Amino acid sequence: MNSIPQPDEAAGEWPERVAAVRRQLTEHGPPRSPRGGPDFATVTLPERDCDQIRDLLVEERVGTVVEIGLAYASSALAIGEALLRTGSRNPRHVVIDPFQRTAYDGVGWELMRSVGLDDIAELVTEPSQRFLARLADAGFVADAAFVDGSHHFHNVFVDLHFLGEIVRPGGIVLLDDLWWPSVSAAVAYFETNLGWRPVPGALADGTTDPANGKPRTGAYRLPDPHPTPHFKQFRPFC
């Protein structure tokens, strides 16, 4: 089992402790491998993609982020680091993963807790398609969201629908695995019909599919204000 650094009392060193755990996770993998659990190298977001997400969120000065999919916490640690570096008075990180306690045996959340990120984060272990609906009904507002949950088109579509209500106008939604047709088709609807726009230059140096050069991750800015187009204005999107 790998040793996990513990957070210092000094708040100024907290982001560096998170960064250290991120490096250790990249170099050595998770502190333990759940029996029969998903392969770390297959499901985790590469370090350079995590770095770009962190840098974009810091640049956006986000204070509240909703994340779908925790797994081994590579992206969650990067988002937590970003929230600490922005200097927000009340950073908040809502992480949704119905498989964290089962398929991943809680490993990702243990890594978050090992550096004290559970002080600013909460773990929700139910399907995002149900929880996000309640979050939207409660009037919850986030500055950004990161989506790496179900890759079924209908589930991604529902996630993005509710995140469109939760993320503030002008905020950003980031997605992993855009190279999957089911994911890219879902976001295409919001880009074509609801005015979501790729953030210029964001995540440009991230991982690409060796076969076709398609990017793995993407970032979209929501329009301000949110539009409510008439159903007759619907445009085919794929």
Side-chain angles (χ1 to χ4, degrees):
M1 181 181 293
N2 298 328
S3 61
I4 301 297
Q6 297 299 314
D8 286 338
E9 293 297 325
E13 297 182 9
W14 195 0
E16 297 304 325
R17 285 293 185 176
V18 177
V21 170
R22 290 184 54 219
R23 287 192 297 271
Q24 180 172 316
L25 182 62
T26 298
E27 294 171 4
H28 304 291
R32 57 190 173 83
S33 298
R35 183 182 300 274
D39 176 62
F40 171 75
T42 301
V43 303
T44 199
L45 190 66
E47 184 179 26
R48 65 172 175 169
D49 298 277
C50 290
D51 287 346
Q52 289 194 114
I53 287 171
R54 175 203 60 198
D55 293 345
L56 177 59
L57 294 178
V58 170
E59 181 180 341
E60 293 285 322
R61 301 191 63 79
V62 301
T64 301
V65 179
V66 175
E67 180 173 13
I68 301 174
L70 175 57
Y72 295 107
S74 60
S75 59
L77 289 165
I79 291 169
E81 182 186 343
L83 286 167
L84 297 178
R85 293 190 185 281
T86 60
S88 172
R89 288 180 177 272
N90 297 293
R92 189 170 182 187
H93 186 187
V94 179
V95 186
I96 307 168
D97 189 342
F99 304 108
Q100 178 59 203
R101 302 291 192 197
T102 53
Y104 296 96
D105 196 28
V107 172
W109 187 241
E110 288 175 15
L111 284 167
M112 297 282 284
R113 293 183 63 194
S114 75
V115 284
L117 286 176
D118 53 327
D119 284 348
I120 67 170
E122 59 187 286
L123 174 64
V124 177
T125 57
E126 67 175 284
S128 54
Q129 295 78 36
R130 292 203 291 264
F131 180 74
L132 289 176
R134 296 203 306 277
L135 207 59
D137 283 344
F140 186 87
V141 177
D143 299 306
F146 178 67
V147 182
D148 186 18
S150 169
H151 290 28
H152 291 287
F153 168 83
H154 52 282
N155 287 333
V156 181
F157 186 92
V158 172
D159 284 344
L160 296 180
H161 165 71
F162 286 114
L163 288 174
E165 297 183 8
I166 291 167
V167 175
R168 62 172 174 77
I172 57 173
V173 173
L174 304 97
L175 297 97
D176 186 25
D177 291 322
L178 272 175
W179 51 25
W180 286 101
S182 55
V183 178
S184 61
V187 75
Y189 167 81
F190 295 88
E191 187 176 358
T192 303
N193 287 278
L194 294 182
W196 293 25
R197 291 290 175 262
V199 179
L203 316 182
D205 296 325
T207 305
T208 58
D209 187 337
N212 54 33
K214 290 184 178 179
R216 173 171 178 156
T217 58
Y220 295 82
R221 190 172 303 283
L222 275 59
D224 185 4
H226 289 163
T228 53
H230 193 277
F231 71 89
K232 291 183 179 180
Q233 296 175 308
F234 173 82
R235 291 185 291 171
F237 58 95
C238 62

